[in-house]
Amino acid sequence: MKSHSIPRGGNSSWLRGVFAAMVLLSLAAPAFAQLPVIRFVRDPDPAPEFKLKDLNGKDLNLEASRGKVILLNFWATWCGPCREEIPGLVALQEQYKNGLQIIGLVVDDDDEKEIRNVVESEKINYPVALADGKTRFEYGGIAALPTVFLINAEGRVVQKHVGLYNSALYEAEVRALLGLPVAAKIETFQDEGDIFLKHADRAKALPGVDMSHLSPEQRDAALHKFNAESCDCGCKFTLAQCRIYDPPCQISQRRTAEIVKELAKAENTPPKEEAKPAEQAAPSASPAQSPKRQLKQ
């Protein structure tokens, strides 16, 4: 068996080197554990196509950017967080222009002059267009702004972000999809209505719905009812979809709570005992079989 000996005359320096390496490894392990996590949808759906005209009258669609990562940004000129993230998007488009295409779709704002003013003042370097109702519906209605859909080079939606996010997150996701080095851990998840509402039937939990006291069978029954019953708030969604799409909705929250209560009550109610049939009277003993007569005999 071969052994590795410590070099003579350099014991202290060699030990210092080993100690330094051990320190670096001990520091690297927790550092890796603390890396930020980026998450992409497992088996993502194709991004809904649209055919719009940008502010310059040019055709705007997803097909023209197939092969690139697409960051589809729904925003409005009056939306403070939307305006705040624009400089980061501009820088991102400039840095990764060979592999990334950002598209800005304006919603709830039809003042083209104001939109042009914002585009010019912010020096927006990616196409901007007004989103029509059909496009908004295809992407889930766009309940809040800004809303960003991240689309991979194959044209599939791998992530959705609602609200203002640090542009560093977008950059990490774009780099990962482009196959570039990224200082983050990559995880995948199944879409349970977070990306597209049509997948709400996969959800095991819903915002604002407490099913912790239900049995697994009751929970499955509740989720079935949530996906089978429509919400009466006017959203035209199921209760499950409404809870995901609009968590503050009091109508879907109240109705789902009622369903949970009904199922819990049904489980805790003891079953009614069935009425027992009246016992038939035992036939009287014949004189020949009467115990008393037998004793007298």
Side-chain angles (χ1 to χ4, degrees):
M1 181 182 294
K2 294 183 179 180
S3 62
H4 297 277
S5 59
I6 299 175
R8 294 181 180 180
N11 296 6
S12 59
S13 60
W14 185 85
L15 288 173
R16 283 198 300 270
V18 171
F19 179 74
M22 292 176 66
V23 170
L24 288 174
L25 286 173
S26 65
L27 292 175
F32 178 78
Q34 296 173 4
L35 282 175
V37 177
I38 56 178
R39 305 172 71 238
F40 296 135
V41 177
R42 190 182 310 121
D43 300 323
D45 291 327
E49 184 58 276
F50 54 79
K51 295 181 179 180
L52 302 171
K53 295 285 186 180
D54 68 13
L55 295 182
N56 297 319
K58 296 181 179 179
D59 292 334
L60 183 61
N61 54 62
L62 297 179
E63 185 60 35
S65 298
R66 185 62 59 85
K68 287 188 174 183
V69 173
I70 298 175
L71 196 155
L72 191 60
N73 176 226
F74 288 87
W75 66 289
T77 59
W78 48 262
C79 168
C82 299
R83 299 284 293 270
E84 188 175 342
E85 73 175 1
I86 289 177
L89 296 178
V90 169
L92 202 61
Q93 179 63 72
E94 177 61 28
Q95 184 172 356
Y96 298 97
K97 57 187 175 183
N98 292 329
L100 169 69
Q101 181 59 65
I102 298 177
I103 297 176
L105 297 185
V106 182
V107 300
D108 291 337
D109 192 342
D110 56 4
D111 187 346
E112 189 171 317
K113 182 179 179 181
E114 178 61 23
I115 297 172
R116 289 182 180 278
N117 288 339
V118 173
V119 170
E120 292 175 4
S121 63
E122 298 287 354
K123 296 181 173 56
I124 293 179
N125 55 356
Y126 49 85
V128 173
L130 284 168
D132 56 15
K134 182 177 182 297
T135 301
R136 293 177 58 178
F137 178 81
E138 291 288 338
Y139 281 88
I142 313 301
L145 297 174
T147 293
V148 166
F149 290 87
L150 192 66
I151 304 170
N152 65 17
E154 289 73 43
R156 295 179 176 272
V157 178
V158 296
Q159 186 52 278
K160 172 186 176 182
H161 298 296
V162 178
L164 178 63
Y165 281 80
N166 192 313
S167 59
L169 171 64
Y170 296 151
E171 181 175 10
E173 292 177 336
V174 168
R175 288 183 63 87
L177 292 176
L178 291 176
L180 300 174
V182 57
K185 292 190 292 185
I186 302 174
E187 296 179 354
T188 61
F189 67 97
Q190 184 181 43
D191 180 14
E192 297 179 347
D194 302 303
I195 308 299
F196 288 114
L197 289 176
K198 65 181 181 180
H199 295 313
D201 58 346
R202 300 176 182 170
K204 302 302 180 185
L206 295 170
V209 182
D210 181 11
M211 296 185 287
S212 59
H213 57 292
L214 297 182
S215 67
E217 294 76 15
Q218 289 174 316
R219 190 177 298 111
D220 289 342
L223 290 168
H224 177 76
K225 285 180 175 289
F226 298 158
N227 283 284
E229 185 174 325
S230 298
C231 182
D232 292 332
C233 73
C235 65
K236 299 182 180 180
F237 294 135
T238 64
L239 290 171
Q241 290 174 333
C242 187
R243 294 309 307 144
I244 295 171
Y245 175 80
D246 187 15
C249 176
Q250 296 296 312
I251 295 176
S252 62
Q253 188 168 34
R254 183 168 56 251
R255 179 55 187 146
T256 50
E258 290 173 353
I259 291 174
V260 170
K261 186 176 180 180
E262 291 166 2
L263 289 170
K265 182 178 179 182
E267 179 72 13
N268 296 326
T269 302
K272 294 182 179 180
E273 294 185 1
E274 296 182 1
K276 295 182 179 180
E279 295 183 0
Q280 295 181 352
S284 58
S286 63
Q289 298 173 335
S290 173
K292 291 183 179 179
R293 288 194 61 179
Q294 289 177 359
L295 288 174
K296 290 180 180 179
Q297 292 178 352

